[in-house]
């Protein structure tokens, strides 16, 4: 089946630094990937749609300059949290639709803690 | 956008019990999926079910697209079934998550 990986699985960084999170489709190609964040005991909130070869589409209220998305290839999308602040601490998850279907496959998530 | 409502929000089950989780959606959708989020945060695909009925072991799901609802059945629940169950709709590439049902199965 389709597998999506994320790296790192958890990261701790200091305020003001930037953190890059990678999302890879391991056994299929994905022209589109999605990024979400999830707060404790809440549902996932779609942040942006990552498009290979073009700019990402951000959801309303998500700062484009803070959450930089780059879809570098058909198997890799990255999310960079720039100038991180403690309120950016969250669980970040990516997903990609499987080949030929719109069934979504999710990565295992990245837990970011900003101190 | 489409509203996705899940019920109940919380469910406590004794091991071996059966249960039904419901997902209502406010408009027509292209696809619907059920996921289980385990305690480590991983979302596990349970069913891709835009319509009809599917079964996988102790779990089954039914979507009645014309009436805009889907049901997830858990039979003979086990402690490993604990976690949050999400219903996710897809309408022309726009994903919408329900708030989830938190399930706790006690021994």
């Amino acid at each position: 089946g389709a597998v999506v990986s994320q790296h790192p699985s958890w990261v701790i960084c200091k305020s003001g630094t930037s953190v890059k999170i990678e999302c890879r489709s391991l056994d299929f190609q994905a022209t589109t990937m999605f990024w979400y964040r999830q707060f404790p005991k809440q549902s996932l909130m779609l942040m942006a749609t990552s498009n290979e070869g073009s700019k990402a589409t951000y959801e309303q209220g998500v700062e484009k300059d803070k959450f930089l998305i780059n879809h570098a290839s058909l198997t890799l999308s990255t999310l960079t949290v720039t100038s991180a602040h403690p309120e950016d601490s969250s669980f970040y998850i990516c997903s990609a639709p499987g080949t030929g279907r719109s069934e979504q496959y999710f990565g295992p998530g990245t837990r970011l803690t900003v101190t | 956008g489409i509203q996705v409502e899940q019920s109940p929000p919380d469910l406590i089950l004794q091991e071996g019990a059966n249960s039904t989780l419901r997902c209502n959606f406010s408009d027509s959708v292209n696809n619907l999926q059920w996921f289980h989020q385990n305690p480590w945060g991983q979302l596990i695909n349970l069913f891709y079910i835009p319509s009809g009925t599917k079964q996988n072991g102790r779990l089954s799901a039914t979507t009645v697209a014309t009436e805009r609802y889907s049901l997830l059945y858990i039979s003979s629940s086990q402690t490993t079934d604990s976690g949050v169950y999400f219903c996710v709709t897809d309408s022309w590439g726009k994903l919408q998550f329900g708030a989830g049902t938190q399930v706790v199965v006690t021994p």
Side-chain angles (χ1 to χ4, degrees), chain A residues 4-47:
Chain A
V4 176
S5 71
Q6 278 185 244
H7 178 80
S9 54
W10 59 271
V11 58
I12 302 172
C13 71
K14 293 188 176 181
S15 286
T17 62
S18 295
V19 174
K20 181 184 284 188
I21 301 170
E22 294 184 349
C23 176
R24 292 182 186 272
S25 55
L26 296 186
D27 50 359
F28 66 102
Q29 294 182 333
T31 55
T32 301
M33 291 184 176
F34 301 91
W35 287 97
Y36 312 80
R37 67 186 297 183
Q38 184 180 30
F39 293 106
K41 298 192 182 299
Q42 292 188 24
S43 187
L44 278 71
M45 181 189 78
L46 180 65
M47 298 175 65

Side-chain angles (χ1 to χ4, degrees), chain B residues 26-86:
Chain B
S26 61
D27 205 345
S28 300
V29 297
N30 302 110
N31 300 299
L32 186 143
Q33 285 183 258
W34 283 96
F35 292 91
H36 174 217
Q37 188 170 37
N38 66 23
W40 297 271
Q42 173 74 63
L43 282 153
I44 300 163
N45 293 45
L46 296 178
F47 294 102
Y48 172 79
I49 186 165
S51 65
T53 297
K54 290 186 178 179
Q55 179 151 11
N56 184 2
R58 295 180 297 102
L59 302 180
S60 63
T62 295
T63 297
V64 183
T66 53
E67 296 186 23
R68 299 179 187 165
Y69 74 87
S70 183
L71 302 174
L72 177 69
Y73 305 96
I74 305 174
S75 64
S76 303
S77 58
Q78 300 178 358
T79 55
T80 51
D81 295 330
S82 296
V84 183
Y85 290 79
F86 288 107

